[in-house]
Amino acid sequence: MQSASVDDAEIAKFAAMAEEWWDPSGKFAPLHKFNPVRLGFIRDTAAAHFGRDSRALRPFEGLSLLDIGCGGGLLSEPMARMGFAVLGADASEKNVRTAAAHAAGLGIDYRATTAEALAAQDLTFDVVLNMEVVEHVADLEGYLAACARLVRPGGLTFVATLNKTLKSLALAKIGAEYVLGWLPRGTHDWNRFLAPERLQEMLEESGLNVLKKQGVAFAPLSWNWKLASDLDVNYMIVATRSA
């Protein structure tokens, strides 16, 4: 039975672009540009939490990670290279096939499945990545509750999304899709953007403890992304389940 959180239109939208996931100049070019800053944040935050040396070649050996809504594997692959045992899950079979074909030899377990289905199997992980997904699901409360159950005691989850502000409407929706053409038109629905206060509330209602909120901003002078105190557009929330 299909999960209530799955929005067929959203799945079809990204599945139609599946062959371009690994093209750094294609439709997912903004994610390729965005990846270094979020990878560094995940690495450093997880290393501090688990007492690992972030400078080590494979600092997270022995730890498990779920990349929910993994798409083509842009996060799953570097996480596997850092030593995590990675399960990459996506509701689109086409995305999963693309990800698996690209990740030959990395030992990533890719599955076409949902957070609810994984939670029903009583699976848990040391780290759950939930990056740029919540703005595309149908049943947000049910989805986040399922994702929370997948975090084992003492584990971490990272949730990244877009704030619902006029600034995000201007920059992340109108600017990125219609003016600069960074994203295909219709990629995002501003009505589904989520204030960090509301996301924190839902995570806490699901039994998690929020540790940190982190903004990410585009720096036009360097034409790159950087961590910032500004949560008005892109932001990440880190939460844990008490051991």
Side-chain angles (χ1 to χ4, degrees):
M1 186 173 67
Q2 179 170 289
S3 162
S5 72
V6 172
D7 184 321
D8 289 332
E10 292 293 296
I11 299 301
K13 182 193 305 180
F14 288 95
M17 302 184 287
E19 294 180 358
E20 296 193 46
W21 275 107
W22 287 97
D23 181 356
S25 59
K27 291 177 181 177
F28 293 103
L31 275 182
H32 285 270
K33 197 74 172 175
F34 196 45
N35 235 15
V37 69
R38 61 181 185 169
L39 285 171
F41 179 75
I42 294 165
R43 180 198 63 218
D44 293 346
T45 303
H49 182 79
F50 293 108
R52 303 296 179 95
D53 182 358
S54 64
R55 298 166 299 178
L57 183 61
R58 292 172 61 85
F60 302 113
E61 289 280 8
L63 297 179
S64 61
L65 180 143
L66 169 65
D67 183 9
I68 191 73
C70 65
L74 298 188
L75 284 172
S76 295
E77 289 197 17
M79 292 294 113
R81 292 189 180 96
M82 291 182 196
F84 283 111
V86 176
L87 193 160
D90 198 281
S92 165
E93 292 186 6
K94 194 170 183 181
N95 283 343
V96 168
R97 288 197 299 270
T98 297
H102 192 273
L106 286 175
I108 299 172
D109 179 6
Y110 280 117
R111 304 184 194 179
T113 187
T114 65
E116 291 89 342
L118 293 171
Q121 298 173 47
D122 295 323
L123 297 177
T124 58
F125 302 84
D126 295 298
V127 175
V128 175
L129 299 185
N130 193 346
M131 311 296 278
E132 289 81 42
V133 178
V134 299
E135 66 269 26
H136 300 289
V137 302
D139 174 13
L140 184 55
E141 288 81 2
Y143 170 76
L144 286 174
C147 289
R149 293 199 301 274
L150 292 163
V151 182
R152 67 180 43 158
L156 286 180
T157 186
F158 295 79
V159 185
T161 190
L162 290 147
N163 200 346
K164 192 174 183 180
T165 61
L166 291 177
K167 186 175 178 180
S168 71
L169 176 62
L171 297 179
K173 177 62 181 178
I174 298 171
E177 295 183 19
Y178 292 88
V179 179
L180 297 172
W182 286 353
L183 298 169
R185 294 183 178 187
T187 297
H188 290 119
D189 179 352
W190 181 77
N191 293 304
R192 292 187 173 191
F193 289 8
L194 192 63
E197 296 80 10
R198 178 57 182 144
L199 179 54
Q200 177 172 348
E201 181 182 31
M202 285 191 284
L203 291 172
E204 291 174 343
E205 288 172 351
S206 298
L208 301 178
N209 302 312
V210 170
L211 300 177
K212 185 175 184 179
K213 289 182 280 190
Q214 176 66 59
V216 185
F218 185 72
L221 290 180
S222 62
W223 207 250
N224 220 329
W225 292 89
K226 64 178 182 178
L227 298 179
S229 58
D230 182 0
L231 306 178
D232 288 348
V233 183
N234 295 82
Y235 69 93
M236 296 180 279
I237 287 185
V238 184
T240 186
R241 179 176 296 285
S242 297

